[in-house]
Amino acid sequence: MPQSSAQDLADVLPDGVVVADADGRVTLVSTVAARMLGRVGSDDVGRPLAEVLRLQDQDAQAWTACNTPYAGLRTRTGVPEQPWLTPGGVEVLVTAALHRAERLGPVTQVVVTIRWGHGRARLDRERSDLVATVAHELRSPLTGVKGFVQALLNRWDKLNDEQKKLMLETVAADSDRLSRLIAELLDVARIDTGRLQLYPRPSDGGVLVERVVESVRAATAREIDLAVAGALPDVMVDPDKFTQVVTNLVENAVRHGDGLVTVLAEPEPHPDAPDGLRVTVSDQGEGIKPELRRRVFTKFWTGGVSGGSGLGLYIVNGLVRAHGGVVSIDDAPGGGAVLSVTWPGVPEELVV
């Protein structure tokens, strides 16, 4: 599209648009964006993106420095919507698309859209829901910890060693539950703000999956079967986040499913990229109804009678998408839920 036509089209859009090329130089600034950024009358074409897109967060950090649109994973295709402040201190919501001339190649164009923060009311409602959920989830383990600690303090001399050990084990279990919830909340905050930090490197996905299965087996009486189909390729992942995702899926099947839990690891061929890895976790329970599947990966969704914070699968989806992977839900032929996660393979230039 000719530059004049692109400019005319951008100028009639309700949101502001800023476009930069492969060198990080601005090629287009719409009229709305110029007004939002206080750049009216400025000749910004050819200037560095960081100089034109003068947006900061509450800690005075710049949008370009925090989101590094030209760096990061080669599978990254965009920056999720985030609240930022204009030079005039007005809140705006910013998102960006990262375009590549070839798959897994360098970023050749960055398109940033800016809109006024009228969606703040929605964010405030989500925060209120989060506070309510946190209060509910924290109340039970905190009550248990406080009760047992108080009993130990008041009746220490009257309790035998077995009773003390039982109380301390309960306190430890409730403390672990609190730690997990806090970790989940931190992950949710990072996913929502687009500031999730990943440290991907070539990893043996098969070994990581095996470790997860062995760990969950040790903590449950449910039968868990691990199957490996063929030689598994290495994957380009953050090993800690990979382990967190697979652990969440297996524990979710144990907690909310029924019968045998099966974990299948198999290569995932791709015509235009290195082969990846598919991890499938299935159970023999009631499954997830088709009309509910779109809600499974939203915050606070819970199913079954086991309860929970409703954040586990939301985090799974966020972590997998941050890696450039995909999560899907299906039904097992004999009944039960089937959740599959695909992970990207190692780019050829990083293969030793």
Side-chain angles (χ1 to χ4, degrees), residues 90-105:
V90 179
E91 185 179 72
V92 291
L93 300 176
V94 184
T95 187
L98 310 180
H99 297 280
R100 305 173 191 273
E102 57 184 31
R103 182 178 175 81
L104 302 180

Side-chain angles (χ1 to χ4, degrees), residues 56-283:
Q56 294 185 334
D57 61 11
Q58 297 289 353
D59 299 321
Q61 298 185 81
W63 184 92
T64 49
C66 289
N67 290 291
T68 57
Y70 293 93
L73 292 173
R74 293 292 184 92
T75 53
R76 194 165 66 139
T77 58
V79 178
E81 186 177 83
Q82 306 164 352
W84 290 83
L85 298 176
T86 67
V90 179
E91 185 179 72
V92 291
L93 300 176
V94 184
T95 187
L98 310 180
H99 297 280
R100 305 173 191 273
E102 57 184 31
R103 182 178 175 81
L104 302 180
V107 173
T108 54
Q109 189 179 60
V110 176
V111 180
V112 182
T113 59
I114 313 169
R115 64 186 180 91
W116 299 114
H118 302 307
R120 198 64 181 178
R122 173 179 57 81
L123 295 176
D124 288 341
R125 286 196 300 271
E126 289 187 355
R127 287 170 183 157
S128 297
D129 291 340
L130 183 60
V131 170
T133 299
V134 171
H136 175 75
E137 289 297 318
L138 291 177
R139 183 180 302 155
S140 177
L142 278 177
T143 300
V145 169
K146 182 178 179 180
F148 281 113
V149 169
Q150 193 64 47
L152 286 168
L153 291 174
N154 294 338
R155 305 178 56 193
W156 182 266
D157 295 334
K158 299 179 181 179
L159 298 172
N160 60 40
D161 289 345
E162 287 300 320
Q163 291 172 322
K164 293 176 182 177
K165 181 180 179 181
L166 177 60
M167 288 185 176
L168 290 173
E169 288 175 344
T170 305
V171 169
D174 284 340
S175 299
D176 288 341
R177 181 178 169 188
L178 288 171
S179 296
R180 286 195 300 271
L181 179 59
I182 292 171
E184 286 182 347
L185 294 172
L186 290 174
D187 283 335
V188 168
R190 294 180 184 119
I191 291 171
D192 284 348
T193 59
R195 297 180 185 180
L196 182 70
Q197 292 184 325
L198 297 178
Y199 302 96
R201 56 182 181 270
S203 306
D204 189 332
V207 170
L208 295 176
V209 171
E210 184 177 357
R211 289 176 182 172
V212 169
V213 171
E214 291 299 325
S215 176
V216 179
R217 275 176 180 165
T220 181
R222 288 279 297 282
E223 185 179 359
I224 304 175
D225 182 40
L226 173 61
V228 177
L232 301 180
D234 286 347
V235 286
M236 192 66 180
V237 298
D238 181 323
D240 291 337
K241 302 303 183 186
F242 179 97
T243 300
Q244 182 180 356
V245 167
V246 178
T247 300
N248 277 7
L249 291 178
V250 178
E251 289 183 344
N252 187 73
V254 170
R255 186 179 303 114
H256 300 289
D258 198 4
L260 173 67
V261 174
T262 301
V263 181
L264 171 63
E266 58 186 337
E268 175 67 11
H270 196 291
D272 302 319
D275 287 353
L277 174 67
R278 178 191 292 269
V279 179
T280 303
V281 180
S282 59
D283 61 70

Side-chain angles (χ1 to χ4, degrees), residues 266-313:
E266 58 186 337
E268 175 67 11
H270 196 291
D272 302 319
D275 287 353
L277 174 67
R278 178 191 292 269
V279 179
T280 303
V281 180
S282 59
D283 61 70
Q284 298 175 327
E286 296 181 356
I288 301 173
K289 297 179 180 179
E291 60 269 21
L292 296 178
R293 291 176 187 172
R294 295 181 63 182
R295 297 169 50 193
V296 166
F297 298 111
T298 59
K299 278 185 287 190
F300 313 124
W301 184 88
T302 57
V305 296
S306 300
S309 66
L311 299 174
L313 291 181

